[in-house]
């Protein structure tokens, strides 16, 4: 029989609720990123077919690319800011910028306005992911950082699915603008909860308290990410992040087309995207536990290595539909969560005073990979080489990630 007093039980429940809010709010911030991943893709057919705003194939490609460029710049910029002003203020500001400018994108009256607002919204959205990653890395119990980050990243795929499902209803009945307005409104609705319930990271506050007036300024501290004993670590992790997002965006963009070129039906190719993302969620739920129990470096090396193997297997034509689905599911399990394990590894290797900067740099360089992946796939499709060379190229990217990560130490360097 429990001997806990009612007052103690109430205090315990209050503590659990307070602990849950940061997890939920960071999850929602990442879900907004996932929503944005899909939103432009689902409205492109309508934009082109209806000649909305005068869009053409090249101009919509420019808008899409500049949105990703904005995310990359935003991710790099937010790092020093979150290390200077804190995780709470940086995340709230990023969500506010993204939300307002996403609504503005939906209200744009010309291609130029749409592209400009899309780029500026990307700046805000780019700040969400590294800030949420830094917060969750510091909020997690000791030894559970990998699980905390991978569980948070399931929000990314939930947001992507939500965007796709809403598009089936909203675009036809309310037009393409509604998708951007809804995405922005969802972000704005999150802000009051963030303001009221999101505390500052305790690890960040301890790092601030430990500084003295004679210590280096924010920019000098942030520069440590690419200097001295951290330089080799940052290079290895940035290369892995680049390759990881190249795979994520390249596969999400071109898998149906590549499988069509391999002789599978269009319906099968579309279904395989769903299977790929189901695998992603499974991988995220498993990968964090493996990282926490076996170590960040062994886990991320194994994950990228297995991703390479299953991507290579997809280059082999399979007669059995079940085998194809199984291979794509396994590729999804390892490809998507491998990238998230890179973020967990960054959180493990850098101290709180530069962790936000390190995550911002890794995410920003990764966004370049997010541009290169679809571009590479498009070049191979145009050249008629998508199958099997697309899978060979993706396999090579996973192998290069393994080689880059092999140069990174398993644990943080000793403090000088």
């Amino acid at each position: 029989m429990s001997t806990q007093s009612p007052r103690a039980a109430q205090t315990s429940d209050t503590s659990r609720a307070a602990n849950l809010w940061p997890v939920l709010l960071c999850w929602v911030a990442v879900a907004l990123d996932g929503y944005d991943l899909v939103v432009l893709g689902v409205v492109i057919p309508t934009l082109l077919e209806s000649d909305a705003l005068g869009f053409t194939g090249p101009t919509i490609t420019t808008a899409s690319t500049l949105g990703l460029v904005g995310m990359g710049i935003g991710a790099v910029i937010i790092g020093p800011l979150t290390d200077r002003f804190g995780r709470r203020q940086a995340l709230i500001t990023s969500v506010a910028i993204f939300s307002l400018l996403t609504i503005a994108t939906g209200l744009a009256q010309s291609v130029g306005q749409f592209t400009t607002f899309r780029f500026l919204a990307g700046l805000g959205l780019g700040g969400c992911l590294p800030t949420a990653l830094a917060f969750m890395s510091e909020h997690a119990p000791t030894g559970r950082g990998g699980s905390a980050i991978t569980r948070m990243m399931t929000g990314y795929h939930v947001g992507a699915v939500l965007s796709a499902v809403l598009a089936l209803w909203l675009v036809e009945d309310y037009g393409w603008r509604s998708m951007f307005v809804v995405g922005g409104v969802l972000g704005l609705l999150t802000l009051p909860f963030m303001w009221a319930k999101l505390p500052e990271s305790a690890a960040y506050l301890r790092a601030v308290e430990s500084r003295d007036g004679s210590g280096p300024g924010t920019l000098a501290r942030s520069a440590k990410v690419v200097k001295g004993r951290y330089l080799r670590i940052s290079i290895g992790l940035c290369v892995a992040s680049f390759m990881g997002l190249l795979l994520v965006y390249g596969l999400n963009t071109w898998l149906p087309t590549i499988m069509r070129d391999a002789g599978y039906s269009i319906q099968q190719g579309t279904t395989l995207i769903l299977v790929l993302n189901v695998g992603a969620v499974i991988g995220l739920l498993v990968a964090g536990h493996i990282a926490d129990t076996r170590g960040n470096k062994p886990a991320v090396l194994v994950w990228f290595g297995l991703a390479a193997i299953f991507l290579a297997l997809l280059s082999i034509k399979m007669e059995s539909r079940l085998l194809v689905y199984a291979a794509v599911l396994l590729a999804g399990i390892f490809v998507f969560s491998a990238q998230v394990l890179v973020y967990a590894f960054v959180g493990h290797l850098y101290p709180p005073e530069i962790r936000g900067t390190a995550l911002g740099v890794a995410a920003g360089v990764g966004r370049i990979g997010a541009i290169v992946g679809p571009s590479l796939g498009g070049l191979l499709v145009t050249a008629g080489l998508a199958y099997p060379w697309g899978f060979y190229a993706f396999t090579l990217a996973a192998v290069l990630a393994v080689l880059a990560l092999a140069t990174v130490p398993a644990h943080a360097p000793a403090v000088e």
Side-chain angles (χ1 to χ4, degrees), residues 137-158:
S137 177
E138 295 165 356
H139 182 74
T142 302
R144 299 293 301 278
S147 297
I149 286 177
T150 53
R151 281 198 301 267
M152 182 189 74
M153 288 300 293
T154 61
Y156 187 81
H157 298 281
V158 171

Side-chain angles (χ1 to χ4, degrees), residues 2 14 68 90 92 116 141 153 175 218 285 311 343 357 363 400:
S2 174
T14 302
L68 290 170
I92 291 173
T116 300
M153 288 300 293
T218 301
L285 295 174
L311 287 169
Y343 295 141
T357 300
L400 290 174

Side-chain angles (χ1 to χ4, degrees), residues 103-379:
I103 293 173
T105 302
L107 302 177
Q109 299 300 309
S110 68
V111 170
Q113 288 182 12
F114 183 101
T115 303
T116 300
F117 291 143
R118 184 72 182 160
F119 170 78
L120 295 173
L123 293 176
L125 187 60
C128 290
L129 180 60
T131 307
L133 287 167
F135 194 107
M136 287 309 302
S137 177
E138 295 165 356
H139 182 74
T142 302
R144 299 293 301 278
S147 297
I149 286 177
T150 53
R151 281 198 301 267
M152 182 189 74
M153 288 300 293
T154 61
Y156 187 81
H157 298 281
V158 171
V161 170
L162 175 64
S163 184
V165 170
L166 284 177
L168 297 175
W169 163 52
L170 289 177
V171 174
E172 183 175 351
D173 292 346
Y174 299 98
W176 63 268
R177 296 179 185 276
S178 63
M179 289 297 295
F180 294 98
V181 173
V182 167
V185 168
L186 288 173
L188 290 179
L189 291 175
T190 304
L191 290 175
F193 294 96
M194 286 187 167
W195 185 264
K197 297 294 186 179
L198 186 68
E200 184 52 86
S201 161
Y204 169 78
L205 291 175
R206 287 193 297 269
V208 171
E209 290 172 1
S210 67
R211 298 173 191 165
D212 59 52
S214 62
T218 301
L219 292 178
R221 288 192 301 272
S222 298
K224 291 169 61 178
V225 169
V226 290
K227 291 171 61 178
R229 64 187 188 277
Y230 287 109
L231 177 60
R232 178 166 61 92
I233 296 174
S234 296
I235 291 173
L237 291 170
C238 284
V239 170
S241 182
F242 175 95
M243 297 300 170
L245 281 183
L246 182 154
L247 292 173
V248 168
Y249 279 76
L251 284 170
N252 261 325
T253 303
W254 291 111
L255 181 65
T257 303
I258 295 175
M259 298 307 277
R260 182 202 64 193
D261 290 353
Y264 301 100
S265 68
I266 293 176
Q267 183 180 10
Q268 280 179 294
T270 303
T271 303
L272 288 173
I273 279 288
L274 176 61
V275 173
L276 187 75
N277 283 279
V278 169
V281 175
I282 295 172
L284 287 171
L285 295 174
V286 174
H289 175 71
I290 299 297
D292 289 340
T293 55
R294 301 295 182 181
N296 286 277
K297 182 172 181 176
V300 73
L301 286 173
V302 168
W303 244 244
F304 268 114
L306 290 173
I309 291 171
F310 290 113
L311 287 169
L313 285 176
L314 288 175
S315 68
I316 303 172
K317 182 65 185 295
M318 304 176 194
E319 299 301 328
S320 168
R321 180 179 298 184
L322 182 60
L323 284 177
V324 176
Y325 287 165
V328 170
L329 179 72
L330 289 166
I333 286 173
F334 293 105
V335 167
F336 290 81
S337 47
Q339 168 62 21
V340 179
L341 287 176
V342 173
Y343 295 141
F345 201 11
V346 174
H348 172 70
L349 289 175
Y350 295 84
E353 60 266 25
I354 58 172
R355 186 174 290 141
T357 300
L359 284 163
V361 170
V365 173
R367 295 291 186 180
I368 301 174
I371 298 170
V372 172
S375 300
L376 174 62
L379 289 173

Side-chain angles (χ1 to χ4, degrees), residues 27-122:
W27 186 92
V28 170
V30 172
L32 292 173
D33 198 341
Y35 183 97
D36 192 80
L37 167 69
V38 174
V39 68
L40 186 57
V42 297
V43 303
I44 281 176
T46 301
L47 288 172
L48 295 178
E49 289 171 11
S50 64
D51 195 30
L53 305 181
F55 268 114
T56 63
T59 55
I60 198 66
T61 300
T62 299
S64 176
T65 301
L66 285 178
L68 290 170
V69 170
M71 291 181 199
I73 295 173
V76 173
I77 290 174
I78 200 66
L81 295 178
T82 192
D83 286 336
R84 171 64 179 85
F85 297 104
R87 318 315 188 200
R88 169 185 157 86
Q89 187 171 338
L91 188 58
I92 291 173
T93 302
S94 295
V95 171
I97 292 172
F98 159 74
S99 301
L100 291 171
L101 285 159
T102 295
I103 293 173
T105 302
L107 302 177
Q109 299 300 309
S110 68
V111 170
Q113 288 182 12
F114 183 101
T115 303
T116 300
F117 291 143
R118 184 72 182 160
F119 170 78
L120 295 173

